[in-house]
Amino acid sequence: MKLIIIGAGVSGLTAAYTINQQAPLIALHCIEKSRGLGGRAATRRRNGATFDHGAQFFRTSDSDQLAFLTQTLPHDQLIDISKPVGVFDQYNQISAGDPAQNNAPKLVYRSGMNYLAKLLAPKELTVSLQTRLHHVVKTATGYDCIDDQNNVITHGDALLFTPPAPQTIEILQASQLDPAMIDHLCSGLAPAHYRPCLSITMAFDGRIEFPFYAMVNSDRQHPFSWVALEHDKDPSRVPAGQTLITIQLAPAASNDWWQADETTLITELMPRLNQLLGSALPSPLWLDRQGWKYAQPNGKADQTILETYEQSDGLYFTGDALAGLGRIHLAMEHGMNIAQHIIAHH
């Protein structure tokens, strides 16, 4: 049996890892439209700096998942961010965050969040990077996966969809499958709407210190939803004597500045950042940007509908749409769960 995994985010890779460990006779092929693995567990390197421009850290669902991360997987690079996360409101008033949340582990890998993807991807996994799946075609023996140039990427017996719900709906609606089944599956995915996030990272000369590793906006009335000091994750992430700050913009601000050039972003962001931090930062040495169109789901897909065609048609679904939240630990949890469904059916 051959399973095609659509999307190389954490949920799909966790499913691949679990299947490979428990049912190694199932062949696995992952189709990913970007250049690397991990989805929003993403890391970049620039001018001697390492920074996470998607998910900032992750927690664990329970003791079993913590044991998996700290015992089963290699964990020499796994660190717990020691400084707490604070909160700020629309008036830039800063206060301590939730004590229970801050006492829980805030996990990240020293070399970046995308290291988790490298640990989860089995060596037996075939990966087609920079390959955009346009649609699938039901055949007498399974499914043909077709790219946006109308070429067959690969053929499989079953499909695991992991992209954000709107992207999965586009693929399904373009596919040659039973129309009633497509409509039914799309109705199950439709409740998962997404909000965007524009993530900006800037490097500065000089090192600033702050009581908090990061701060999150508490009233959703500020253009910033998240501000973090990357060097507080690990000093090796930033050249000596520099400060590296990641700002994740709120949905409205993300839309407003989605197309803004670098000069405009610096002009708009720096006064707000200085006011929030109570500082006078110099002009940034450089700026990096990443737009996440489907950053966080604002709703949850109907799991009952999406499970309808698992055993009969070999169609499976996992990812943020099922969790209703964009969280690494939930993506892993759902990836492991869907892997058990696949193993049981095949």
Side-chain angles (χ1 to χ4, degrees):
M1 181 254 187
K2 181 177 180 180
L3 174 70
I4 310 302
I5 301 172
I6 302 159
V10 170
S11 58
L13 293 177
T14 304
Y17 179 94
T18 305
I19 293 168
N20 180 255
Q21 291 291 308
Q22 300 182 19
L25 294 181
I26 297 179
L28 302 168
H29 188 145
C30 181
I31 301 172
E32 169 56 45
K33 63 182 177 63
S34 67
R35 294 180 295 175
L37 306 178
R40 290 192 300 279
T43 305
R44 282 185 180 152
R45 291 162 183 82
R46 179 169 174 176
N47 297 337
T50 297
F51 55 98
D52 301 311
H53 55 287
Q56 294 293 294
F57 63 82
F58 59 102
R59 303 190 188 276
T60 55
S61 296
D62 51 37
S63 58
D64 288 341
Q65 192 178 82
L66 180 61
F68 174 72
L69 290 163
T70 59
Q71 299 174 31
T72 304
L73 290 181
H75 50 276
D76 57 303
Q77 287 204 36
L78 189 64
I79 56 177
D80 183 2
I81 302 170
S82 57
K83 280 189 176 180
V85 174
V87 297
F88 63 95
D89 63 16
Q90 61 182 313
Y91 305 109
N92 296 308
Q93 296 298 310
I94 298 171
S95 57
D98 180 81
Q101 290 285 325
N102 277 321
N103 287 332
K106 300 183 291 294
L107 301 174
V108 71
Y109 289 94
R110 186 171 289 106
S111 62
M113 285 291 293
N114 68 348
Y115 189 65
L116 175 61
K118 298 172 184 177
L119 296 178
L120 289 171
K123 66 179 185 299
E124 296 84 359
L125 176 67
T126 300
V127 181
S128 298
L129 294 175
Q130 294 182 280
T131 304
R132 185 178 294 275
L133 176 68
H134 182 265
H135 67 279
V136 297
V137 177
K138 176 69 172 172
T139 72
T141 58
Y143 297 94
D144 284 339
C145 296
I146 314 298
D147 68 13
D148 50 6
Q149 302 299 313
N150 210 34
N151 299 313
V152 177
I153 305 166
T154 189
H155 178 86
D157 302 291
L159 305 173
L160 173 58
F161 291 89
T162 75
Q167 294 178 323
T168 298
I169 288 173
E170 287 181 9
I171 294 170
L172 289 171
Q173 289 179 335
S175 294
Q176 296 177 30
L177 304 171
D178 176 66
M181 181 170 67
I182 292 174
D183 289 344
H184 195 214
L185 289 172
C186 289
S187 73
L189 291 162
H193 301 281
Y194 287 72
R195 56 187 185 269
C197 175
L198 183 59
S199 181
I200 307 293
T201 299
M202 294 185 287
F204 302 90
D205 261 332
R207 177 64 62 90
I208 69 166
E209 298 297 339
F210 212 68
F212 306 109
Y213 140 67
M215 296 182 292
V216 62
N217 179 223
S218 57
D219 57 14
R220 299 191 178 185
Q221 299 299 314
H222 198 285
F224 301 167
S225 63
W226 175 266
V227 179
L229 304 180
E230 282 287 326
H231 54 268
D232 277 341
K233 290 180 177 176
D234 190 85
S236 65
R237 285 185 164 234
V238 184
Q242 290 186 12
T243 290
L244 194 63
I245 298 178
T246 293
I247 303 169
Q248 294 187 335
L249 299 180
S254 294
N255 284 326
D256 288 344
W257 296 324
W258 195 265
Q259 301 292 340
D261 59 25
E262 183 172 308
T263 300
T264 301
L265 287 173
I266 292 172
T267 300
E268 294 288 349
L269 299 182
M270 286 305 301
R272 293 172 169 87
L273 180 62
N274 282 324
Q275 187 175 19
L276 176 62
L277 298 181
S279 62
L281 288 166
S283 296
L285 301 171
W286 51 263
L287 178 149
D288 187 277
R289 64 189 294 162
Q290 171 66 43
W292 300 101
K293 185 177 180 181
Y294 303 112
Q296 294 282 351
N298 273 337
K300 193 173 181 179
D302 190 323
Q303 186 166 336
T304 302
I305 290 177
L306 298 183
E307 290 178 350
T308 305
Y309 305 99
E310 289 184 352
Q311 191 163 4
S312 60
D313 294 89
L315 298 179
Y316 299 86
F317 299 83
T318 189
D320 292 345
L322 276 298
L325 289 170
R327 300 288 184 270
I328 296 295
H329 68 283
L330 295 178
M332 294 181 66
E333 181 181 304
H334 279 263
M336 288 184 176
N337 289 342
I338 201 66
Q340 299 302 327
H341 289 216
I342 294 167
I343 292 166
H345 295 157
H346 300 280

